[in-house]
Amino acid sequence: MEHGTTGRLEEARVLGQDPVGEDYRRLVLHVPGIAAAALPGQFVHLRVPGLDDRVLRRPFSIYRVKGDELLLLYKTVGTGTRAMNALKAGDALSVMGPLGRGFPLDRPDSVPLLVGGGYGAAPLSFLAERLAGPGVVFLGGRRAADVLCLDDFKRLGWEAKIATEDGSLGEKGLVTGVLDRWLDARPAGAPAGEIYACGPDGLLKALAGRAKDRGLTAWLSMDRHMGCGAGVCLACVIRVKRPDGNGGEIWARVCKEGPVFESRELVWEGAAS
Amino acid sequence: MEHGTTGRLEEARVLGQDPVGEDYRRLVLHVPGIAAAALPGQFVHLRVPGLDDRVLRRPFSIYRVKGDELLLLYKTVGTGTRAMNALKAGDALSVMGPLGRGFPLDRPDSVPLLVGGGYGAAPLSFLAERLAGPGVVFLGGRRAADVLCLDDFKRLGWEAKIATEDGSLGEKGLVTGVLDRWLDARPAGAPAGEIYACGPDGLLKALAGRAKDRGLTAWLSMDRHMGCGAGVCLACVIRVKRPDGNGGEIWARVCKEGPVFESRELVWEGAAS
Amino acid sequence: MSQPRLETMIGRISMKNPVMVASGTFGYGPEYAEFIDVEQLGALVVKGVSVEPWEGNRTPRMVEVPGGLVNAIGLQNPGFNGFMKTYMPFLRTLTVPVIVNIWGRTLEEYGQIAALFEKADGVAGLELNVSCPNIKEGGIAFGTDPLMLERVVDLVRKQTTRTLIVKLSPNVTRIADFARMAEAGGADALSLMNTYPAMVIDIETRRPVLANVTGGLSGPAIHPIAVKLVYEAAKAVKIPIIGMGGIREAAEAIEFLIAGARAVAVGTANFTDPATALRVADGIQAYLVRKKLASVSELVGTVKVGS
Amino acid sequence: MSQPRLETMIGRISMKNPVMVASGTFGYGPEYAEFIDVEQLGALVVKGVSVEPWEGNRTPRMVEVPGGLVNAIGLQNPGFNGFMKTYMPFLRTLTVPVIVNIWGRTLEEYGQIAALFEKADGVAGLELNVSCPNIKEGGIAFGTDPLMLERVVDLVRKQTTRTLIVKLSPNVTRIADFARMAEAGGADALSLMNTYPAMVIDIETRRPVLANVTGGLSGPAIHPIAVKLVYEAAKAVKIPIIGMGGIREAAEAIEFLIAGARAVAVGTANFTDPATALRVADGIQAYLVRKKLASVSELVGTVKVGS
Ligand SMILES: Cc1cc2nc3c(=O)[nH]c(=O)nc-3n(C[C@H](O)[C@H](O)[C@H](O)COP(=O)(O)OP(=O)(O)OC[C@H]3O[C@@H](n4cnc5c(N)ncnc54)[C@H](O)[C@@H]3O)c2cc1C
Ligand SMILES: Cc1cc2nc3c(=O)[nH]c(=O)nc-3n(C[C@H](O)[C@H](O)[C@H](O)COP(=O)(O)OP(=O)(O)OC[C@H]3O[C@@H](n4cnc5c(N)ncnc54)[C@H](O)[C@@H]3O)c2cc1C
Ligand SMILES: Cc1cc2nc3c(=O)[nH]c(=O)nc-3n(C[C@H](O)[C@H](O)[C@H](O)COP(=O)(O)O)c2cc1C
Ligand SMILES: Cc1cc2nc3c(=O)[nH]c(=O)nc-3n(C[C@H](O)[C@H](O)[C@H](O)COP(=O)(O)O)c2cc1C
Ligand code: FES
Ligand code: FES
């Protein structure tokens, strides 16, 4: 099961960007080679122009692909993303991608349950577009503005369940609570759900717990600080179980063997950072 | 004889800039405190915004003052000046100034002979504005585009003599040649000329030679790489004769004791860098 | 909540805030006084002074590099008498503690300059520069040989009752050894780091840019190196440490404090913005408020290592 | 005019251009081969390999700082067998010279890993890493003690007929001493510099950002330090030197060549742009054309010092 493709180094042209609520922005890039090869759950590694005193690229999930265009959905959190705010139509920037292994697309016997927190909704939107039929998406965030991509999912005919910590949209509380109740309400004998998730570590860890307890399969997209983004530097590693299954642990590179891992592969203690 | 004033640190607002020929630009700053105190030959030290990986300010002569506005005339030559090209109306930037000792303004008994090379014309334009009556200005450059501020001098009723190395404006050759011929053509007994100059080291050195040979006084504005711009770091020093006149040499700070020196003070060998 | 206390002590020097300016980047005091209120500094450290006037190196003496600058000023200074005559009158008008950075070409000169300042009013402390990379004799030679270091500190200690700060060189394999030597020699405090030996070549002329061939690197580029040195030195000695190297914003100063420094100094950033030290002091205060810490001391050396 | 000759020799390794990639910043070869044509490199240096597989440090292992990054990967690697099985088949398909960076925790392990590679086909040279700041045993301990250095070089020399490059630590007072020791021990070439010990503290948590507490600084920040070290080392020894530290553009590489390096390596900048080494090689060529120099050798060590 290979959900990755060969990466390339491509000069992208910015087509534009627009704000999505207060903290997020959608960036549209013209980058045909990478757009053509991109799969849901994969990411790109951007060289942000003008960051003269910074040596690292910045990783972003692929949010959507439209022909030669690649869309990203990003939150402004620090130096790099702040500098990205200044990107305007016509600017050139270097993009590596598509990188890593994304979500599996070939598991037709189960209902896809997508769970996203904050910008974690972005790769799930791309996934929903590429999956055979609609499923259910669970979106969470601190407040309404952190619930993203809702329109995308609706457009695709997906059922959406929302939770916000401040109750400003959907249920008040955590998205895992909504998921729990949905799973509990499932009639016995209904086809098994399979989780595909992206979001903060806390969410992913909670989902791994749910998956284990309920005997579900969960595909989790991990977020780790990256150096090279290409399997070179070994900065992004997390602990996973040895594939031979005899109890040992090894390092896996989130940028290469991930970012998507099957939850049972992961060893949470060693990876928490 | 004090031609300096107390400097200050002021937040300037960019009012705009426009190209002057191919290589030069005129930058207009709103910076009332410094504008009010500025004297011809003094300079400002700019923190160029966005130069995150650069620690030094950039020094520029004061080109003109109009009320609260300060004008600079700069040539794009490297990292800092390139970044200055992006400054636009409304941008803020930190300015230290006015710095150093400028040209003397209190020498009424002689005809002022202003000699400028390239952007060296800028402080001379300011000087012409503040001098009591018109004199003669000699402007030189590699080609016509390097002959600056001509209109300013004309507006003030100054006689202008031009030389360019490629002959594209005025006489073909060096500006010192034109000066020589003008001096040679002077009727005996005419009031002594006094030189005020700014430009490349080669020009200033040649003028120092002329001044010595012809017994003229010459005020030369020196251009040296600067650290602090405020007399602190001792990076900008040049060799000058001891003020006690007994033959020794000491260091003088171009940013503090200069940038304008009387040519007889300077020791050229030690200063060439 | 009441305002957090910014006071800190270096030897017997009590500072109203932990931010001083680094020697050689603030002249002798009056120069930047036109631009900022120097009374708001934690302490003012003047450029290195020697017994006799010193010419320093030829020019060029400074070159900007990405993330900092390389300088080889070579300790130009007017000598003890020139300093006392030209600058001490101004410095004596200040209430901010004045620390004089001193150096010599020989062991004897180090002793002499310390002895001379023993009689000078208005000098709160001496900072012993045994780490300048830019002079042929003296300087770094004393700072990179542990036995020489102990000898020079011991000698100077005997000549001065002022707070004695020893400024260590980063150009050694194990800083802890040197920190201990300086402490053993009688230092009241340590400061680090001085600039790191470096070189820039002009690829057009194929000449070193600096007349002195090599110089010392300062600025943001060296900050992570300096934090490591402060951390190692703080583990090795009991005397207070002044952390410096690449401070531009409060965050970088706070790193030094957490690593174990009792005070910090702003160097190269004075050239970028003469008000840096004041801004950094304000930023430390804001941080203490935000973190609900009552004083700088509650921060010093609190780096959490291990789980 | 005919094209300038970019060829250079490091020991018995002949490189078609003087630009290699630095160990640990290019994986084991295949990773970046998706993105650039690795055959255009002067040489390919793989990440450090030890006798047995090695887990490296816990995470976080890397943090970006202004002008560079601090890393403490800790030499994670699949061991000799894993390397031979997983990566050597790919590397053998290349015509570009492959240099293997090797390390051990003990003197014996250094000898063993060198001996193991003696039988491995397709390895042009060994780069002896005695300068990693990120492991408790081995590494930098060998690179900062002159006698240890000579012993380990001498031992490895006896085990290998391959071109032996000794990678020196910058964390010493006089690099010339170490350069001479390595030469005396039988090194064919020297490479420098490795990363410089450094530390970053998270001021929110007051913890070191790196799980290993300290790490090594690389990137543009260290370039002027590296140029100085290459200059000093080149004056001290006759064997060729590979200069590295902060190369992003051709200009920085050219500085190393003028300072005395016969070749250069691109490290951290690979993360910024995997095509850096190729761009740098092109830039060196353009410079030679512009300066009317017929070959790289006409540039190496031509720094003009004195008047
Ligand atoms: C596989 C993957 C996919 C991602 N997808 C998205 C996305 O679709 N939208 C989005 O807004 N963000 C996404 N992120 C997070 C994004 O990479 C960071 O927000 C961004 O790197 C922050 O950069 P900065 O310079 O603004 O922050 P700074 O804090 O200034 O960055 C300093 C350093 O830390 C790194 N860093 C900081 N936060 C993170 C983080 N959360 N994850 C990884 N590295 C970080 C930076 O890359 C940089 O190296 C993703 C991260 C990964 C690993
Ligand atoms: C007193 C004084 C007045 C000046 N007046 C003017 C003016 O009116 N118009 C104008 O165009 N230029 C003027 N200059 C020169 C101007 O300072 C430089 O062109 C400018 O600093 C170049 O910066 P950069 O970052 O673009 O060049 P870079 O080469 O990238 O700069 C690198 C470093 O070298 C310094 N530097 C480079 N060239 C010079 C130079 N010629 N003089 C001083 N420092 C230099 C920079 O300040 C910086 O520290 C003046 C210089 C001085 C000392
Ligand atoms: C131009 C310049 C001159 C300096 N002169 C001295 C000096 O006279 N004595 C001294 O001990 N340190 C001197 N230093 C070192 C600084 O005090 C400081 O230790 C170093 O620059 C690191 O701090 P920074 O990165 O904040 O600049 C000088 C540094 C610079 C940049
Ligand atoms: C992430 C990383 C891993 C490294 N791993 C090794 C290594 O395994 N062996 C080694 O000798 N040097 C290693 N180095 C050091 C580099 O090879 C190089 O000497 C150093 O980074 C300086 O060059 P630069 O500034 O171009 O990065 C590593 C550097 C980095 C940044
Ligand atoms: S980011 Fe470098 S190996 Fe994953
Ligand atoms: S530029 Fe610092 S003393 Fe003149």
Side-chain angles (χ1 to χ4, degrees):
Chain A
M1 198 166 47
E2 186 55 59
H3 319 297
T5 41
T6 305
R8 69 199 70 198
L9 188 59
E10 198 170 346
E11 177 105 340
R13 209 154 30 75
V14 174
L15 295 176
Q17 63 174 318
D18 46 79
V20 177
E22 262 173 58
D23 301 334
Y24 301 85
R25 292 174 151 251
R26 182 169 34 217
L27 179 68
V28 188
L29 302 175
H30 181 265
V31 57
I34 294 173
L39 292 174
Q42 288 189 302
F43 66 101
V44 291
H45 213 27
L46 299 187
R47 174 65 182 152
V48 183
L51 278 195
D52 287 343
D53 68 343
R54 299 283 153 173
V55 296
L56 295 182
R57 289 172 175 253
R58 299 294 189 262
F60 295 93
S61 299
I62 296 166
Y63 163 40
R64 284 180 67 191
V65 168
K66 292 193 201 171
D68 288 348
E69 296 176 15
L70 192 86
L71 279 69
L72 307 179
L73 183 63
Y74 73 93
K75 181 172 182 177
T76 303
V77 298
T79 352
T81 46
R82 248 192 320 273
M84 284 167 66
N85 284 205
L87 288 172
K88 52 184 194 316
D91 287 351
L93 83 174
S94 167
V95 183
M96 286 168 75
L99 301 174
R101 293 200 317 162
F103 293 105
L105 294 171
D106 48 5
R107 306 184 52 90
D109 294 339
S110 64
V111 182
L113 306 176
L114 277 46
V115 188
Y119 57 73
L124 300 179
S125 164
F126 187 22
L127 175 65
E129 216 165 81
R130 294 283 169 102
L131 282 175
V136 189
V137 62
F138 300 82
L139 296 174
R142 232 164 20 81
R143 47 196 187 121
D146 298 310
V147 176
L148 301 168
C149 309
L150 202 52
D151 293 345
D152 300 334
F153 292 106
K154 290 204 170 142
R155 187 172 42 82
L156 294 167
W158 282 57
E159 181 184 348
K161 303 268 174 192
I162 316 283
T164 52
E165 287 171 45
D166 69 356
S168 54
L169 192 72
E171 292 189 27
K172 183 175 165 113
L174 298 175
V175 69
T176 40
V178 186
L179 175 68
D180 281 340
R181 280 187 297 282
W182 189 90
L183 288 170
D184 292 343
R186 257 330 245 170
E194 194 154 317
I195 294 172
Y196 302 74
C198 185
D201 255 31
L203 172 62
L204 300 183
K205 194 169 177 179
L207 290 172
R210 299 290 188 293
K212 190 168 177 211
D213 296 345
R214 296 182 185 260
L216 298 174
T217 297
W219 303 95
L220 308 178
S221 177
M222 306 299 293
D223 179 342
R224 284 293 177 279
H225 286 216
M226 288 182 175
C228 65
V232 160
C233 70
L234 309 178
C236 64
V237 296
I238 53 172
R239 297 305 268 177
V240 298
K241 300 197 184 100
R242 293 191 80 91
D244 55 24
N246 57 21
E249 294 176 11
I250 52 167
W251 291 114
R253 296 165 298 182
V254 168
C255 70
K256 194 84 182 173
E257 283 79 49
V260 175
F261 293 90
E262 209 272 308
S263 70
R264 276 171 290 234
E265 293 175 72
L266 298 168
V267 181
W268 286 94
E269 295 65 36
S273 62
Chain B
M1 197 167 46
E2 186 55 60
H3 319 297
T5 42
T6 304
R8 68 198 70 197
L9 187 59
E10 197 171 347
E11 176 104 339
R13 208 155 31 74
V14 174
L15 295 175
Q17 64 174 317
D18 46 78
V20 177
E22 261 172 60
D23 301 333
Y24 301 85
R25 292 174 151 251
R26 182 169 33 217
L27 179 67
V28 188
L29 301 175
H30 180 265
V31 58
I34 294 173
L39 293 173
Q42 288 189 301
F43 66 100
V44 291
H45 213 25
L46 299 187
R47 173 67 181 152
V48 183
L51 277 195
D52 288 344
D53 68 344
R54 299 283 154 173
V55 296
L56 296 182
R57 288 172 176 254
R58 300 294 190 261
F60 296 93
S61 298
I62 296 166
Y63 163 40
R64 284 180 66 190
V65 168
K66 292 192 202 172
D68 288 348
E69 295 176 16
L70 192 86
L71 278 69
L72 307 179
L73 183 63
Y74 72 94
K75 181 171 183 180
T76 302
V77 298
T79 352
T81 45
R82 249 192 319 274
M84 283 167 66
N85 284 206
L87 288 172
K88 51 185 194 315
D91 287 351
L93 84 174
S94 167
V95 183
M96 285 168 75
L99 302 174
R101 293 200 317 163
F103 293 106
L105 294 171
D106 48 6
R107 305 184 53 87
D109 295 337
S110 63
V111 180
L113 307 176
L114 277 46
V115 189
Y119 56 74
L124 299 180
S125 164
F126 188 22
L127 175 65
E129 218 166 80
R130 295 281 169 102
L131 281 175
V136 188
V137 62
F138 300 82
L139 296 175
R142 232 163 21 79
R143 46 195 188 122
D146 298 310
V147 176
L148 301 168
C149 308
L150 202 51
D151 293 346
D152 299 334
F153 292 107
K154 291 204 168 141
R155 186 171 43 80
L156 294 167
W158 282 57
E159 180 185 349
K161 304 268 173 193
I162 317 283
T164 52
E165 287 170 45
D166 69 355
S168 55
L169 192 72
E171 291 189 27
K172 183 175 164 112
L174 298 175
V175 69
T176 41
V178 186
L179 175 69
D180 280 340
R181 280 187 296 281
W182 189 90
L183 289 170
D184 292 342
R186 228 33 207 149
E194 195 154 317
I195 294 172
Y196 302 75
C198 186
D201 255 31
L203 171 62
L204 301 183
K205 194 169 176 179
L207 291 172
R210 298 288 187 294
K212 192 170 176 211
D213 295 346
R214 296 180 184 263
L216 299 173
T217 296
W219 303 94
L220 309 178
S221 177
M222 307 298 292
D223 179 344
R224 284 294 177 279
H225 285 217
M226 288 182 175
C228 65
V232 160
C233 71
L234 309 179
C236 64
V237 296
I238 54 173
R239 298 304 268 177
V240 297
K241 300 197 184 100
R242 293 191 80 93
D244 56 23
N246 58 20
E249 294 176 12
I250 52 166
W251 291 114
R253 298 164 297 182
V254 169
C255 70
K256 195 84 182 172
E257 282 80 50
V260 175
F261 294 89
E262 209 273 308
S263 71
R264 278 172 288 236
E265 294 176 72
L266 298 168
V267 181
W268 286 95
E269 296 64 39
S273 62
Chain C
M1 207 183 95
S2 62
Q3 284 294 313
R5 287 188 308 283
L6 285 178
E7 291 81 4
T8 196
M9 289 286 288
I10 295 294
R12 284 170 318 287
I13 303 174
S14 88
M15 295 166 58
K16 64 180 161 306
N17 72 58
V19 190
M20 39 175 97
V21 286
S23 178
T25 66
F26 211 83
Y28 297 99
E31 300 88 346
Y32 274 139
E34 288 185 25
F35 302 94
I36 64 151
D37 179 4
V38 295
E39 287 285 14
Q40 291 182 42
L41 296 172
L44 194 159
V45 186
V46 302
K47 172 134 191 88
V49 176
S50 50
V51 175
E52 297 296 332
W54 187 250
E55 288 268 286
N57 292 323
R58 295 176 64 84
T59 54
R61 290 174 166 188
M62 184 185 283
V63 54
E64 195 189 41
V65 293
L69 58 86
V70 182
N71 93 81
I73 306 298
L75 296 178
Q76 179 189 332
N77 79 88
F80 176 78
N81 288 331
F83 169 75
M84 290 304 288
K85 195 169 141 240
T86 316
Y87 300 108
M88 238 10 247
F90 169 82
L91 292 169
R92 280 205 198 92
T93 66
L94 303 179
T95 62
V96 60
V98 171
I99 298 169
V100 177
N101 183 276
I102 56 170
W103 67 280
R105 283 167 303 166
T106 59
L107 211 51
E108 291 65 46
E109 285 188 4
Y110 273 105
Q112 284 166 23
I113 186 71
L116 284 169
F117 275 109
E118 189 59 9
K119 288 159 229 143
D121 248 20
V123 171
L126 298 180
E127 182 180 49
L128 194 64
N129 181 359
V130 286
S131 45
C132 180
N134 298 327
I135 47 170
K136 299 273 167 307
E137 309 148 274
I140 206 165
F142 291 92
T144 54
D145 176 333
L147 297 179
M148 287 282 267
L149 178 67
E150 202 192 2
R151 276 179 66 192
V152 70
V153 175
D154 183 70
L155 179 82
V156 167
R157 177 74 287 175
K158 295 203 170 78
Q159 305 297 325
T160 189
T161 58
R162 306 285 154 86
T163 291
L164 177 61
I165 302 162
V166 176
K167 185 158 182 180
L168 297 179
S169 169
N171 191 25
V172 300
T173 298
R174 274 175 302 277
I175 197 72
D177 297 349
F178 291 81
R180 281 191 212 99
M181 281 294 185
E183 185 177 45
D188 295 309
L190 303 176
S191 60
L192 61 157
M193 60 185 262
N194 211 314
T195 58
Y196 203 96
M199 179 173 183
V200 180
I201 296 172
D202 180 334
I203 67 168
E204 297 307 323
T205 62
R206 294 197 237 164
R207 290 188 178 279
V209 173
L210 298 176
N212 190 51
V213 182
T214 61
L217 177 65
S218 63
I222 63 171
H223 181 255
I225 295 176
V227 172
K228 157 85 156 51
L229 292 173
V230 165
Y231 170 72
E232 301 282 355
K235 284 196 299 185
V237 298
K238 295 210 170 55
I239 51 177
I241 291 173
I242 305 163
M244 68 192 79
I247 297 179
R248 277 187 299 193
E249 303 292 339
E252 291 134 347
I254 293 165
E255 269 189 81
F256 281 123
L257 298 173
I258 296 172
R262 292 220 149 258
V264 297
V266 171
T268 299
N270 290 309
F271 305 154
T272 322
D273 176 8
T276 303
L278 311 187
R279 211 179 58 237
V280 167
D282 288 347
I284 293 172
Q285 169 148 29
Y287 174 89
L288 294 175
V289 170
R290 185 160 64 81
K291 291 287 182 181
K292 301 193 172 44
L293 294 170
S295 69
V296 167
S297 331
E298 290 188 10
L299 193 59
V300 173
T302 57
V303 58
K304 293 175 215 153
V305 168
S307 42
Chain D
M1 207 183 95
S2 61
Q3 283 296 312
R5 286 188 309 281
L6 285 179
E7 291 81 4
T8 195
M9 288 286 288
I10 295 294
R12 286 170 316 288
I13 303 174
S14 88
M15 295 165 59
K16 63 178 162 307
N17 71 59
V19 190
M20 38 175 98
V21 285
S23 178
T25 67
F26 212 82
Y28 297 100
E31 300 89 345
Y32 274 140
E34 287 185 24
F35 302 94
I36 63 150
D37 179 5
V38 295
E39 288 285 13
Q40 291 182 42
L41 296 172
L44 194 160
V45 186
V46 302
K47 171 135 190 86
V49 176
S50 51
V51 175
E52 298 296 332
W54 187 250
E55 288 269 286
N57 291 324
R58 295 176 64 86
T59 54
R61 290 175 166 187
M62 183 185 284
V63 53
E64 196 189 42
V65 293
L69 58 86
V70 182
N71 93 81
I73 306 299
L75 297 178
Q76 179 188 333
N77 79 88
F80 177 78
N81 288 331
F83 169 75
M84 290 304 289
K85 196 169 138 238
T86 315
Y87 300 109
M88 241 2 254
F90 169 82
L91 291 169
R92 281 204 198 92
T93 66
L94 303 178
T95 62
V96 59
V98 170
I99 297 168
V100 176
N101 183 275
I102 58 170
W103 67 280
R105 283 167 302 166
T106 59
L107 211 51
E108 292 64 45
E109 285 187 5
Y110 274 105
Q112 284 165 24
I113 186 70
L116 284 169
F117 274 110
E118 189 59 9
K119 288 160 227 143
D121 248 21
V123 171
L126 298 180
E127 182 181 50
L128 196 63
N129 181 359
V130 286
S131 46
C132 180
N134 299 327
I135 48 170
K136 299 271 168 304
E137 310 147 275
I140 206 164
F142 291 93
T144 53
D145 176 334
L147 296 180
M148 287 282 267
L149 178 67
E150 201 191 2
R151 276 179 66 192
V152 69
V153 175
D154 183 69
L155 178 83
V156 167
R157 177 73 287 175
K158 295 204 170 77
Q159 305 296 326
T160 190
T161 57
R162 305 286 153 86
T163 291
L164 178 61
I165 303 162
V166 176
K167 185 159 183 180
L168 296 179
S169 169
N171 190 26
V172 301
T173 299
R174 274 175 301 277
I175 197 72
D177 298 349
F178 291 81
R180 282 191 210 100
M181 280 295 185
E183 185 178 45
D188 296 310
L190 303 177
S191 59
L192 60 157
M193 61 184 261
N194 211 316
T195 58
Y196 203 96
M199 180 172 182
V200 181
I201 296 172
D202 180 334
I203 67 166
E204 297 308 322
T205 62
R206 295 197 237 165
R207 289 187 179 281
V209 173
L210 298 177
N212 189 53
V213 182
T214 62
L217 177 64
S218 63
I222 62 171
H223 181 255
I225 296 177
V227 171
K228 156 86 157 51
L229 293 173
V230 165
Y231 170 72
E232 301 282 356
K235 285 197 298 185
V237 298
K238 295 210 170 54
I239 50 176
I241 291 174
I242 305 164
M244 69 191 79
I247 297 177
R248 278 187 298 194
E249 304 292 340
E252 291 134 347
I254 294 165
E255 269 190 81
F256 280 123
L257 298 173
I258 296 173
R262 292 219 150 257
V264 296
V266 171
T268 299
N270 290 308
F271 305 154
T272 322
D273 176 7
T276 303
L278 312 187
R279 210 178 59 236
V280 166
D282 287 348
I284 293 172
Q285 168 148 29
Y287 174 88
L288 294 175
V289 169
R290 184 159 66 80
K291 292 286 183 182
K292 299 193 174 43
L293 294 170
S295 68
V296 167
S297 332
E298 291 188 9
L299 192 60
V300 173
T302 57
V303 57
K304 293 176 214 152
V305 168
S307 40

